[in-house]
Amino acid sequence: MNERDTLKINNKGHLEIGGMDTVDIAKQFGTPLYVYDEKHIRVMMRAYKDALNKYYGGHGLVLYASKAFSCKAIYKIAAQENIGIDAVSGGELYTAFSAGFNPAKICLHGNNKLLSELELALDNGVGLIVVDSFREADILDSLAAKRGVNQDVLIRINPGIEAHTHAFVQTARTDSKFGFSIFDGSAENMLTYLLDKRNLTVKGFHCHIGSQIFEKQSFELATEKMLCFIADMKKIHGFETETLNMGGGFGIWYSEGDRAHAPEDYCEYVKSIIDVIKAKTAEYGLRQPFLMIEPGRSIVGEAGIMLYTVGAIKDIVGVKKYVAVDGGMFENPRYALYQSKYSALLANRADEPCTEIVTIAGKCCESGDIIAAGVALPEAESGDILAVLSTGAYHYSMASNYNRNFIPPAILVNEGKAEYIIKPQTYDDIVRNDAVPERLK
Ligand SMILES: *Cc1c(COP(=O)(O)O)cnc(C)c1O
């Protein structure tokens, strides 16, 4: 519970976030509700920035990974904190542009970027594009030529690291859909291919070895492989790497089981990458590259909680007790996708001891619609407010209108004040894009 100083239990026995009573928040804004603590988001952005300053002389840039949580407000905060962002779709780019985010500080990713997305990026002057296919290299070069511009690019590299995390979120194994393998020579082929493109400038390389990774060793090993590759490319092709983007993936706290793994200070992940860069550049006689890191989950994950109202309770004697809430896989698909573990508590009875183990179920027509299993709670009653912790990343951004449920609104809490950053949907929003052909009318 005290993983994060923004959460506490007040003298009414209620959960507080960012100086606000969650029971009051639930009354004012309704449930289900995504709640974000602005201070915590800023603390995390600054921590990564400080780590680059402290250990690397500020020779780098933190890019917030949009896909963890994308909306205009988060881009405003990132801009105020003077960091960059990464984006992986036209929608994320458009949201950032709408928030007035400086395109020069955007890095665009994707294994299959659409022509329209590349055009949007070039028309708006996106700083870096991470090339992930030969076809994309051709398209980008001609788009840049057409516009009379020269586009800076990185190459997505697969360093072949097996990160210890859930198999579905590993991205750098040899059979990954992402990147060019160092091992089979395709990374080198891509470099020489791009060096021949007149309208593209290769700044360096990018890798991202997966998500929710706790082992610093995985990042160290990936950095070693990248530096070894960088040294080879200099030796063989005289190519000088200016920028190295090591991606994100830093693991965070969700439940008790993570306590042993999650570092006290997430900047240790960054420090371990930097230590390897310093050692290897010295060993190979290389310039220290401009270092980009792209934390997503670790910036917004623990800054967010989800508030629900308890509805139906079903006790299947001797089997399981289901506590159903007014949310479900439409606002949090992570249990259905990865059997994710969570910590939860009754926000209005946060000081009461836990007396039973229950399964938190959603309201969708699907047995797999579970929010969390094996959760210890006091005996819940209909009307209680249930808070699930560490829901700031990959929740809202993965939400859908499944079963034509509303995607819940999100609020930003800051020093005792709460405001919408995502407004509530209405039934009109639900049918807004429905069309009825004339012959059915
Ligand atoms: C997903 C992703 C990130 C962020 O990962 P987190 O685990 O949220 O830190 C960064 N870079 C790229 C290219 C990604 O795909």
Side-chain angles (χ1 to χ4, degrees), residues 167-182:
F168 289 172
V169 284
Q170 281 176 6
T171 55
R173 289 175 307 166
T174 311
D175 73 348
S176 168
K177 72 170 181 173
F178 295 105
F180 296 94
S181 166
I182 294 175

Side-chain angles (χ1 to χ4, degrees), residues 65 67 86 109 156 206 208 211 248-250 294-297 394:
K67 74 178 192 275
D86 84 12
H109 294 285
R156 171 98 187 214
H206 169 268
H208 170 74
S211 202
F250 313 128
E294 302 175 319
R297 187 192 305 270
Y394 305 108

Side-chain angles (χ1 to χ4, degrees), residues 48 63-68 86 88 109-110 130 156 171 178 206-208 210-213 245-251 293-299 393-394:
Y48 284 120
L63 304 171
Y64 164 67
S66 287
K67 74 178 192 275
D86 84 12
V88 296
H109 294 285
V130 182
R156 171 98 187 214
T171 55
F178 295 105
H206 169 268
C207 75
H208 170 74
S211 202
Q212 188 56 9
I213 299 165
N245 184 333
M246 288 301 298
F250 313 128
I293 51 164
E294 302 175 319
R297 187 192 305 270
S298 53
I299 286 181
Y394 305 108

